[in-house]
Amino acid sequence: MTEQDTIPTEPPDCEPKLTVDNRGTGCANGIVRVQRALEDLDGGDVLRIQSTDRRAKIEYPKLAAQTPHELLAIESERKRLIRKEYTTYLRVRPE
């Protein structure tokens, strides 16, 4: 079993405080927007990140592992024949 297999795929039972829409951009470009959004949120708030980059299942867990924030889930949904969208949920932890 890989680490990705242990990531929940169901959204958390709470309303996100903020959503960052990174659809159409790569994770590397969108990560700066995510980090800025995390700085604007309070401890306990949930951030939703929307992405079309398949690396979301790799990059956002890495971000959570390198920060005090908690990865709650990553959903994936096929929107078109060849396009998938990923929705990641992070809970902000105070540093």
Side-chain angles (χ1 to χ4, degrees), residues 69-93:
H69 310 303
E70 177 186 5
L71 177 66
L72 299 176
I74 299 178
E75 296 178 285
S76 62
E77 180 180 354
R78 188 161 305 282
K79 291 291 188 175
R80 296 184 190 155
L81 183 60
I82 59 172
R83 180 172 140 169
K84 266 188 154 179
E85 287 191 12
Y86 302 91
T87 305
T88 303
Y89 297 88
L90 293 173
R91 182 180 318 276
V92 177
R93 296 284 184 208

Side-chain angles (χ1 to χ4, degrees), residues 4 7-9 11 19-27 34 47-61 71 73-80 82-90:
Q4 288 182 4
I7 299 171
T9 58
T19 297
V20 174
D21 187 348
N22 281 339
R23 292 176 289 187
T25 66
C27 281
V34 169
L47 175 65
R48 176 177 37 216
I49 307 157
Q50 296 175 309
S51 176
T52 51
D53 188 334
R54 67 178 181 255
R55 295 181 314 166
K57 293 185 116 179
I58 297 168
E59 296 301 323
Y60 294 126
L71 177 66
I74 299 178
E75 296 178 285
S76 62
E77 180 180 354
R78 188 161 305 282
K79 291 291 188 175
R80 296 184 190 155
I82 59 172
R83 180 172 140 169
K84 266 188 154 179
E85 287 191 12
Y86 302 91
T87 305
T88 303
Y89 297 88
L90 293 173

Side-chain angles (χ1 to χ4, degrees), residues 6-47:
T6 63
I7 299 171
T9 58
E10 294 295 319
D13 189 23
C14 59
E15 189 64 31
K17 181 81 172 191
L18 184 63
T19 297
V20 174
D21 187 348
N22 281 339
R23 292 176 289 187
T25 66
C27 281
N29 294 332
I31 206 84
V32 172
R33 294 175 63 196
V34 169
Q35 290 174 324
R36 286 183 183 150
L38 288 167
E39 291 173 2
D40 291 340
L41 296 172
D42 296 322
D45 288 344
V46 173
L47 175 65

